Amino acid sequence: MSADSTPLQSFAVINEAVQTLGNGGLVAFPTETVYGLGADAKNPEAINKIFSAKGRPSNHPLIVHLAAPDQLDQAQVDWVPVLAPWVRDLSEDALKLVNTFWPGPLTLVFRKDKSVLNELTGGQDTVAIRSPAHPIAQELLRQFKGGVVAPSANRFGKVSPTSAADVRSEFEDIPGLLILDGGDCEVGIESTIIDLSSGDHAILLRPGLITPSEIFAKTGIRVHLPGESNASEQDATLTRVSGSLRAHYAPTTPLRMYASGRVLDALSEFPDIKSCVAVAVWDSDSSLSEGGHPSVHFEEVIVPSDSAIFASRLYRSLRDLDQQGWDLILFPEPPVGEEWDGVRDRLQRACFGSGPSSSSQANS
């Protein structure tokens, strides 16, 4: 059954989703970042259903989603009982990050409690956890009263879904999949991932909406980039996390990025020049010119020059363009700056994985 007739889910539908999870089934649900394909984090058979449905390698770890504690008019929310069953130790910095950014698009990696299933950690000694900032996700997690693992609700390596319709189109061959419709995702790209498992410093494993500068400004915690000289030798063997493979988020249509004013350089990668090219152009730029290039038909697609709005629309744009029959999609290189690192990361991986052979690339 698909339960996606309205963005506002009834209690009955949430209850059905809770029962489905409890019975070892899969439920697709909205978060503020992208839609997730959820399963009971304590049920190895259910977790394996996720890997099977997505075509995801079993050593690629999943993120555990947890409900926020009921505040009950408390001045300070107590996250310790929520996290205690999952993590081995909770540092002061970890609690500071949790209290500042949860619920929200920030995933934290901890040394895992011995009870956490190897099926969800990819065999590592760490576990990735977040609390999503979406009312439907929170209601589902609260009523389920347990952790839910939920990678993006799409085939592995393909463009992440930001609407219930995207999920339906990805999993048409799973007619019984329960889909909770929460409208379009607000953030639009996956969460920032910070590794706290070394115990002595925080390492950025995946950029997202929440940047190291924002973390430092709000908590005083410095987030190190992988390989920084003052970070420990553990950086040499970074924790594996979701979305870290070179090819990911990829459309079937070839996708490339171009530097400002260098559209033709991007086209030169294709000696058998294609005839129909969709070119994304900043809303602040003047129109492209096709003069002198009669063999190529350009069509402009305006994209926002605000980083947060760009992120919220990125996957929607890639999905739509991928379905329109273009021979090539060109996107402008994002500007320099931390606030653009998340979308730059997604676009680079999408470019590498794109094209008709993207399925095999994503698995390599």
Side-chain angles (χ1 to χ4, degrees), residues 28-205:
F29 64 94
T31 76
E32 78 281 25
T33 57
V34 300
Y35 274 70
L37 185 64
D40 180 359
K42 296 289 189 182
N43 184 331
E45 290 80 16
I47 293 170
N48 287 330
K49 287 180 183 177
I50 285 181
F51 289 110
S52 176
K54 285 178 61 69
R56 182 185 176 102
S58 60
N59 67 346
H60 205 46
L62 303 171
I63 295 171
V64 178
H65 294 65
L66 299 175
D70 290 328
Q71 297 194 38
L72 300 175
D73 298 324
Q74 298 175 51
Q76 181 74 28
V77 177
D78 186 7
W79 285 90
V80 174
V82 176
L83 288 166
W86 301 92
V87 307
R88 195 176 306 175
D89 51 69
L90 270 173
S91 66
E92 185 179 330
D93 280 358
L95 287 172
K96 200 178 290 185
L97 289 169
V98 165
N99 282 307
T100 303
F101 293 104
W102 283 10
L106 179 68
T107 294
L108 300 177
V109 177
F110 303 91
R111 289 177 69 79
K112 75 178 185 71
D113 183 83
K114 61 184 179 183
S115 67
V116 176
L117 296 173
N118 286 329
E119 283 85 352
L120 71 87
T121 67
Q124 300 178 111
D125 192 36
T126 55
V127 61
I129 302 176
R130 89 178 187 97
S131 184
H134 193 290
I136 291 176
Q138 281 293 325
E139 187 62 26
L140 175 67
L141 293 165
R142 265 195 298 271
Q143 292 200 30
F144 182 62
K145 296 181 171 61
V148 173
V149 287
S152 57
N154 57 282
R155 304 294 180 181
F156 181 69
K158 307 307 288 183
V159 181
S160 301
T162 54
S163 72
D166 293 342
V167 181
R168 279 198 302 276
S169 67
E170 287 282 331
F171 296 113
E172 288 176 332
D173 59 336
I174 308 181
L177 179 64
L178 184 63
I179 304 172
L180 301 180
D181 189 341
D184 293 337
C185 297
E186 185 177 346
V187 174
I189 61 171
E190 296 78 3
S191 58
T192 304
I193 301 181
I194 304 292
D195 189 354
L196 302 174
S197 63
S198 70
D200 58 347
H201 59 270
I203 303 173
L204 178 68
L205 296 185

Side-chain angles (χ1 to χ4, degrees), residues 197-219:
S197 63
S198 70
D200 58 347
H201 59 270
I203 303 173
L204 178 68
L205 296 185
R206 183 174 72 184
L209 180 69
I210 296 174
T211 63
S213 293
E214 183 182 0
I215 289 172
F216 183 77
K218 292 182 176 179
T219 67

Side-chain angles (χ1 to χ4, degrees), residues 3-11 13-14 134-136 180-183:
D4 46 14
S5 58
T6 171
L8 299 175
Q9 301 297 304
S10 68
F11 283 113
V13 174
I14 295 286
H134 193 290
I136 291 176
L180 301 180
D181 189 341

Side-chain angles (χ1 to χ4, degrees), residues 230-274:
N230 56 349
S232 77
E233 293 179 3
Q234 183 180 344
D235 292 3
T237 54
L238 286 173
T239 304
R240 297 192 313 278
V241 293
S242 293
S244 57
L245 299 182
R246 190 177 178 190
H248 222 76
Y249 320 110
T252 303
T253 308
L255 170 70
R256 294 293 181 270
M257 284 190 285
Y258 67 90
S260 179
R262 307 297 291 271
V263 171
L264 292 180
D265 289 349
L267 287 172
S268 69
E269 289 185 42
F270 297 84
D272 53 336
I273 200 71
K274 304 298 184 182

